[in-house]
Amino acid sequence: MPTPPSQQAPRPARHQREPGEGQQERRWSRDVTERSNALDLEEGVFTRDPKDMARSLKRSAEQSSRRKASPFQSAMSMLTFFENRAGRGLTPERRQALEQAKDELRRLYGRPTKGTPPA
């Protein structure tokens, strides 16, 4: 039988960081985006309109000699990575633009878009 909450020992406090401490570790996703070992991304790629974003990612993926997957997979992975790491900080408009960029990337590579049955 579990111990009632009133009789349980209090949990230890979580470690609190000092101001400025750990700033380097908290920015690892920015480092991945800026210094990816697989793709050399163009400046401001994720702030562009969806078509430009997709074309830029395609160019970067096809020019890369360090990627381990196909150009399509590498470009889509970087786009998904950015979307996932931005998380709740993305506005609905920006999230929609990223989804449109994914569809555009699929179109550029001749893949079926989301919601379209495969041919």
Side-chain angles (χ1 to χ4, degrees), residues 101-119:
K102 287 180 186 180
D103 282 341
E104 181 64 18
L105 199 54
R106 289 181 186 105
R107 191 189 66 69
L108 290 171
Y109 279 100
R111 306 285 178 102
T113 58
K114 211 171 185 181
T116 306

Side-chain angles (χ1 to χ4, degrees), residues 32-95:
V32 170
T33 304
E34 291 175 354
R35 295 187 256 296
S36 166
N37 195 33
L39 300 180
D40 292 323
L41 299 175
E42 295 172 6
E43 185 73 27
V45 65
F46 297 112
T47 61
R48 300 175 182 177
D49 72 87
K51 286 188 178 194
D52 285 345
M53 197 183 313
R55 283 192 293 258
S56 174
L57 286 167
K58 183 178 189 224
R59 255 190 319 274
S60 295
E62 289 177 348
Q63 290 173 356
S64 176
S65 60
R66 298 184 312 253
R67 64 181 157 70
K68 296 177 184 164
S70 72
F72 172 74
Q73 288 173 316
S74 295
M76 188 63 78
S77 292
M78 189 56 79
L79 192 50
T80 303
F81 173 80
F82 178 79
E83 183 179 25
N84 289 341
R85 294 311 303 166
R88 286 174 267 180
L90 281 177
T91 64
E93 295 82 22
R94 207 63 218 138
R95 188 172 303 278

